Amino acid sequence: MGFEFNSYSAILLLPFSQAVLFGMLLICKTGDRFKLSNLLLGVILLLIGVRIAYWMLGFAGWYDSHDAFTSFMFYFPFNTTCLIGPLIYFYFLSATNQDFRFEKKHSYHLLLPILWLVIIVGKIALDYMLYFPFPKTLNSQFGTKGPLAEVDKTLLFTLVSYGSLTYYLVLTYKLFGAYRQYAIENLSSLENLDFAWLRNILLAMGSGLILMFTYQIINWINPLTYKAEWYSYMLLGILVYYLGIKGYMFQGSNKPALYFTNGLQVEDGQSNEAKGFPDLARRMKELDQLLDQRKPYLIADLTLSQLASMMGLNSSILSRVINMGHNLNFNDFINAYRIREVISRIDNQQHKKVTLLGIALDSGFNSKATFNRAFKKQTGKTPLEYIKNLESQRKLVSNYDLER
C-alpha cells in the first residue's frame, strides 16, 4: 500500500511537510542561546504534524487497506494533544530565560505525558500479547486491531487532553503578563523584545484548541463525516505555517539576554512604606550621584542588574529604590534621564549640528520610535514640538531685549 494522492490527502501533505521541515530545522539549529527553545518549538511542530498526518494518511487509503497500514493507523500515537501543553509552557520559559534548565521542581509537568506513554505502549503490548492474531471481523477492522486499539481516542482521554492544553495555555498566558512586568522592571530598552510573537503563539494555539475541540463536540452530538472533519485539519495546517515561519524568524532575531523567572518580583512586592526601607533616602542619593557622574543611562541596553552591580547592590533592592523613591519602573526611570540628556543637548543647540535621531542614539535610545514615545510621555510634546516651542521662546526673549 502506497500513498493515494487525491485532493484531500495532497492538500494536507503540504502543512504536514511544513511541520516536518521547520520542526527539523529548529531542532537541528544550534550555536545560540535559544537552543533549548528551538528544540521545544521544533517538537511542538512535529507533534502538530503528527495530528495532521492522522487525517492525511486516512485519506491516502491507509485506514481502509485492511493490512499493516491500517494497524499502524490504530496503534500509532496520533493523539498528541496532551503533550503540547507542557511543551508550550517550557518553550516560553526557555525563550525568556537563557539560563533555563529542567529541574526537579518541573517533574510534575511530566506526569500526564508519562501516563500517555504508558497507555500507548500498554495498548500495543496487551493487544498483541493477548489478542493477536486478531479475528477478521468488522469490530476488529478485519483483523487489523485489538480491543484496546482506540483507548486513546475515548471520551475521557480526549477531555483530559484538551483540559491539559487549556490549563497550560492559561498558565503560560499568566506567565506572559509577569514577563512583560519583568521586562519593564529590568530592561531600559524594550525595542528588541518581541512581545507580539510570545502573545500570538498563545493566541494561535488557543485558536487551534477552540477549533479542534468545537469539531470534537459537534462530532459527539452529531457524528461528522470524514470529509467534514477534514476542514478542521486543513485549518490546523494553516496554524503550522504561521508557527513554523514566525517561530523560526523569532529565534533568528537579535534579542537581549533575558533571565526571566516566575516569581522574580515577589520581593519587590513588599510594603511600599518608606518606614520599611530605612536606607531609602541614602540609596536614592547614591543612585542620583551615580547617574549624574557616570551616566550609565547612555548605555543603550542597560539592565537593572548592570546598574545594581555598579552600585554594589542586588537587583531587588535597587528595584525598590526606584519604585519607592521615584514611583517609576526601571524602564521609565532610565528613559527619564535619557530625555533630560536629549533636552540638555537641544538647549545647547546641538540639534542644529546633529540630527535628532543622532542625539537620541547618543543619549542611550536605540530607535527613533522608542525615543519619540518616551519624549512624548515625559514632556507631553513631540521632539519637534518641543524645539519649535523653544525657538519661539528664544525669539520672544530676543525681541524683548531689542525693545529695551
Side-chain angles (χ1 to χ4, degrees):
M1 177 67 194
F3 188 96
E4 181 182 322
F5 282 92
N6 53 58
S7 58
Y8 294 99
S9 63
I11 290 177
L12 290 183
L13 180 60
L14 296 175
F16 171 75
S17 301
Q18 176 85 358
V20 173
L21 172 63
F22 275 93
M24 294 309 299
L25 284 174
L26 285 164
I27 289 173
C28 296
K29 188 179 182 183
T30 59
D32 60 28
R33 64 178 184 268
F34 291 110
K35 182 177 180 180
L36 179 57
S37 54
N38 286 335
L39 171 65
L40 293 172
L41 184 58
V43 173
I44 291 171
L45 285 170
L46 291 179
L47 291 178
I48 297 176
V50 167
R51 286 277 301 186
I52 295 173
Y54 182 52
W55 234 242
M56 177 190 72
L57 294 175
F59 275 100
W62 287 30
Y63 190 82
D64 296 319
S65 62
H66 302 154
D67 52 19
F69 290 98
T70 302
S71 295
F72 177 84
M73 294 294 292
F74 283 115
Y75 287 100
F76 188 82
F78 290 103
N79 187 1
T80 58
T81 304
C82 69
L83 305 180
I84 294 176
L87 288 171
I88 291 174
Y89 174 73
F90 287 123
Y91 169 76
F92 184 90
L93 291 179
S94 59
T96 56
N97 182 358
Q98 68 179 49
D99 286 343
F100 173 78
R101 297 293 182 272
F102 290 106
E103 300 176 3
K104 187 176 181 180
K105 65 181 180 181
H106 299 126
S107 58
Y108 77 93
H109 294 289
L110 303 178
L111 293 178
L112 188 59
I114 290 174
L115 178 60
W116 172 86
L117 180 62
V118 170
I119 291 174
I120 297 300
V121 174
K123 76 171 186 176
I124 297 173
L126 291 175
D127 267 357
Y128 276 87
M129 285 191 301
L130 300 178
Y131 302 104
F132 189 80
F134 308 126
K136 294 187 177 182
T137 63
L138 183 61
N139 287 337
S140 68
Q141 196 71 10
F142 303 101
T144 58
K145 69 170 184 172
L148 301 176
E150 297 186 278
V151 68
D152 57 326
K153 300 180 181 68
T154 60
L155 174 62
L156 176 61
F157 196 97
T158 301
L159 288 175
V160 170
S161 296
Y162 281 112
S164 170
L165 181 54
T166 301
Y167 167 77
Y168 279 103
L169 286 174
V170 172
L171 178 63
T172 308
Y173 197 81
K174 289 181 178 179
L175 276 182
F176 174 72
Y179 166 64
R180 288 183 65 96
Q181 186 62 32
Y182 157 84
I184 291 172
E185 292 289 349
N186 289 270
L187 303 176
S188 64
S189 175
L190 307 180
E191 190 67 25
N192 289 327
L193 295 183
D194 197 345
F195 290 120
W197 160 246
L198 293 173
R199 180 198 65 220
N200 289 347
I201 187 176
L202 297 177
L203 294 178
M205 294 303 301
S207 300
L209 166 67
I210 294 172
L211 168 70
M212 298 301 291
F213 193 53
T214 299
Y215 264 85
Q216 187 67 67
I217 292 174
I218 294 173
N219 193 47
W220 285 333
I221 297 173
N222 183 26
L224 298 170
T225 65
Y226 291 131
K227 291 182 179 179
E229 281 199 75
W230 176 87
Y231 289 97
S232 67
Y233 287 88
M234 182 188 70
L235 294 174
L236 191 62
I238 296 175
L239 176 63
V240 164
Y241 275 91
Y242 175 75
L243 292 178
I245 296 173
K246 291 292 291 183
Y248 194 83
M249 291 171 60
F250 171 81
Q251 303 299 357
S253 55
N254 181 27
K255 310 223 175 292
L258 296 172
Y259 302 94
F260 168 70
T261 55
N262 190 27
L264 185 65
Q265 303 299 327
V266 171
E267 186 177 352
D268 297 343
Q270 298 174 13
S271 171
N272 285 338
E273 298 294 332
K275 63 182 180 181
F277 197 167
D279 291 336
L280 179 60
R282 178 170 65 86
R283 296 298 189 190
M284 287 176 61
K285 183 177 180 181
E286 292 174 353
L287 176 59
D288 291 340
Q289 288 177 345
L290 174 68
L291 290 167
D292 288 338
Q293 294 171 7
R294 298 176 58 180
K295 297 188 176 183
Y297 54 84
L298 298 181
I299 303 173
D301 57 353
L302 179 69
T303 66
L304 179 68
S305 61
Q306 289 174 330
L307 187 58
S309 179
M310 294 178 190
M311 292 189 64
L313 300 175
N314 64 50
S315 298
S316 62
I317 292 178
L318 178 57
S319 180
R320 291 179 65 198
V321 171
I322 296 171
N323 296 158
M324 296 166 60
H326 297 276
N327 197 30
L328 292 171
N329 59 55
F330 177 72
N331 181 262
D332 287 342
F333 177 70
I334 294 300
N335 280 342
Y337 269 87
R338 290 169 174 166
I339 293 300
R340 291 179 204 172
E341 181 72 20
V342 170
I343 290 175
S344 174
R345 298 188 183 202
I346 290 175
D347 289 344
N348 290 330
Q349 302 290 299
Q350 287 191 24
H351 62 287
K352 295 184 178 180
K353 302 176 183 178
V354 183
T355 64
L356 269 177
L357 179 58
I359 292 175
L361 296 176
D362 289 341
S363 300
F365 290 101
N366 61 3
S367 77
K368 181 179 180 180
T370 302
F371 164 60
N372 287 335
R373 188 163 51 246
F375 197 98
K376 178 78 172 180
K377 184 176 183 179
Q378 184 76 13
T379 66
K381 302 182 181 71
T382 67
L384 290 177
E385 288 172 344
Y386 178 86
I387 291 174
K388 288 180 180 178
N389 186 60
L390 181 64
E391 296 295 340
S392 296
Q393 291 178 354
R394 285 176 173 166
K395 186 176 182 180
L396 286 174
V397 171
S398 177
N399 290 338
Y400 175 77
D401 290 341
L402 289 174
E403 291 175 358
R404 293 179 62 187

